[in-house]
């Protein structure tokens, strides 16, 4: 790591601060992560938009910054294989993959260890977790400075191409990030390969920088390609695409009926004896997003037949919250 001691913040047109990674800027970036801010950083694949994976509101800010209209699960970046194993349950095959390809552009989806502090929002309420140990000195230095696992999707606005340079991140995300660590152009410029290792078989969820053949040569078992032929029925154990509670969901509820639990929002809520969780009593959508999946789970666990959901504003993160609620309410 260069330690010139004179990394000058470079204010860009868009207002983002691009900094040369050195001792001072890395300490500042680590502090910013622990304070719940977003830091863009280079990896060997593309630039990541990083937040403390244990802080739900910080993770919610990722979705707000990207303008994602839905909560899709994010990759959690870790410093070591040992750290990964404290967060996820590694099968023998998953262990072999980590040993062969980490650090490197392979993301391994495993089941969560019970009781880990990783925000529910990181995996969009799923019981699984996508983990990766990046092969990049600056990414590793940020992980060390933050001392936290980093949730980090690609550092671009939703629907735009992944950012492969600091200037690209600045142009796309601007002031939404508190700092961009400049590592020059990324090496692969292609996203990581994502493998589902939650079941007995391994499945390719996203092709990427590491080929399916390279993976098969290590595991000596076929890598199932769930997306290869849409006519073929989904293989057993294939990941559910989103979390949905067992209870029915009634959206835009203004009142609560017998047998219902209430998912409320904002300061003005109906007076009721029903089990109730307020996503954000102060009407804050970042707080609401951070609480969403845990709240759904807790209300579902009350055994209520239906969860009545108060209207959630449609702007900002409200779009992604409403998208999740609509999916959870869809007939199944
Ligand atoms: P990005 O955040 O843009 O790098 O994309 C992350 C990729 O990892 C997406 O293709 C996600 O669907 C996938 N992913 C992340 N977490 C999970 C998970 N828990 N289960 C399945 N796929 C995941
Ligand atoms: Mg992306």
């Amino acid at each position: 790591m260069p330690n010139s001691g004179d990394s000058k913040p470079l204010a860009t047109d868009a207002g983002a601060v691009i900094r040369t990674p050195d001792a001072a800027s890395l300490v500042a970036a680590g502090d910013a992560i622990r304070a719940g801010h977003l830091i863009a950083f280079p990896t060997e694949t593309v630039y990541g938009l990083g937040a403390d994976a244990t802080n739900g509101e910080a993770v919610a800010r990722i979705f707000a910054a990207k303008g994602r209209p839905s909560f899709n699960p994010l990759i959690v970046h870790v410093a070591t294989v040992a750290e990964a194993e404290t967060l996820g349950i590694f099968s023998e095959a998953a262990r072999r993959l980590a040993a062969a390809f980490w650090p490197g552009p392979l993301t391994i989806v495993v089941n969560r260890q019970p009781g880990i502090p990783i925000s529910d929002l990181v995996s969009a309420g799923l019981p699984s977790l996508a983990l990766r140990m990046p092969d990049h000195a600056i990414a590793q230095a940020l992980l060390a400075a933050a001392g936290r696992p980093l949730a980090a999707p690609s550092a671009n606005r939703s629907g735009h191409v992944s950012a492969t340079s600091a200037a690209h991140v600045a142009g796309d995300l601007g002031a939404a990030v508190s700092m961009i660590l400049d590592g020059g152009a990324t090496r692969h410029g292609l996203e990581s390969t994502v493998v589902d290792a939650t079941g007995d078989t391994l499945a390719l969820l996203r092709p990427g920088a590491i080929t399916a053949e390279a993976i098969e040569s290590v595991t000596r078992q076929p890598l199932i390609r769930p997306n290869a032929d849409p006519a073929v029925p989904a293989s057993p154990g294939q990941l559910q695409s989103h979390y949905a509670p067992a209870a029915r969901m009634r959206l835009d509820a203004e009142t609560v009926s017998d047998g219902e639990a209430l998912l409320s929002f904002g300061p003005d809520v109906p007076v009721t004896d029903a089990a109730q969780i307020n996503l954000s009593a102060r009407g804050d959508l970042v707080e609401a997003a951070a609480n969403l999946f845990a709240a759904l789970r807790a209300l579902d666990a009350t055994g209520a037949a239906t969860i009545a959901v108060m209207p959630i504003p449609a702007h900002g993160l409200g779009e992604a919250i409403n998208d999740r609620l609509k999916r959870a309410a869809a007939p199944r």
Side-chain angles (χ1 to χ4, degrees):
M1 199 68 32
N3 189 359
S4 60
D6 65 350
S7 91
K8 285 196 200 67
L10 256 172
T12 64
D13 290 350
V17 175
I18 298 181
R19 297 202 42 186
T20 305
D22 60 15
S25 56
L26 284 165
V27 167
D31 290 347
I33 289 286
R34 285 192 305 281
H37 300 297
L38 305 183
I39 300 287
F41 63 98
T43 77
E44 76 277 33
T45 58
V46 297
Y47 274 72
L49 177 60
D52 176 357
T54 67
N55 178 339
E57 294 194 18
V59 174
R61 283 184 202 110
I62 290 178
F63 291 98
K66 285 183 68 91
R68 274 200 183 170
S70 60
F71 294 127
N72 27 13
L74 305 175
I75 295 169
V76 173
H77 295 69
V78 293
T80 62
V81 175
E83 183 183 3
E85 294 210 23
T86 66
L87 301 176
I89 300 168
F90 279 64
S91 64
E92 209 30 62
R95 245 186 223 123
R96 230 174 294 138
L97 288 176
F101 296 109
W102 284 1
L106 178 71
T107 296
I108 307 174
V109 178
V110 292
N111 287 310
R112 286 175 169 241
Q113 295 277 12
I116 54 170
I118 303 290
S119 152
D120 276 337
L121 191 56
V122 163
S123 26
L126 296 173
S128 55
L129 198 58
L131 293 166
R132 177 166 112 75
M133 178 180 168
D135 183 18
H136 195 290
I138 298 169
Q140 283 293 345
L142 178 63
L143 283 164
R148 303 281 164 84
L150 295 175
S154 52
N156 52 274
R157 295 276 305 172
S158 178
H160 294 190
V161 294
S162 298
T164 54
S165 73
H168 192 163
V169 179
D172 222 31
L173 293 173
V177 287
S178 49
M179 190 193 299
I180 302 167
L181 292 169
D182 190 353
T186 55
R187 195 167 353 127
H188 292 284
L190 190 66
E191 283 88 354
S192 62
T193 304
V194 181
V195 171
D196 174 11
T198 57
D200 294 333
T201 55
L202 296 174
L204 181 67
L205 297 181
R206 177 176 77 183
I210 290 179
T211 65
E213 290 75 12
I215 290 167
E216 285 173 331
S217 75
V218 164
T219 60
R220 281 182 245 99
Q221 58 171 281
L223 189 56
I224 291 161
R225 281 116 165 132
N227 303 321
D229 182 358
V232 174
S235 60
Q238 194 180 328
L239 283 161
Q240 61 191 118
S241 58
H242 63 269
Y243 164 76
R248 285 166 34 86
M249 306 271 294
R250 189 167 66 80
L251 304 186
D252 296 324
E254 306 280 0
T255 57
V256 197
S257 314
D258 280 351
E260 289 187 335
L262 177 65
L263 186 63
S264 55
F265 177 84
D268 300 316
V269 302
V271 177
T272 172
D273 293 333
Q276 178 186 172
I277 294 179
N278 197 321
L279 286 175
S280 173
R282 59 175 202 267
D284 180 282
L285 288 165
V286 171
E287 183 183 31
N291 289 334
L292 177 64
F293 292 106
L296 284 173
R297 265 180 216 290
L299 290 179
D300 210 16
T302 67
T306 301
I307 300 173
V309 185
M310 284 178 65
I312 311 287
H315 60 86
L317 276 175
E319 186 181 2
I321 294 171
N322 280 306
D323 169 80
R324 269 304 136 168
L325 290 170
K326 274 199 206 89
R327 286 168 195 259
R332 53 181 188 273

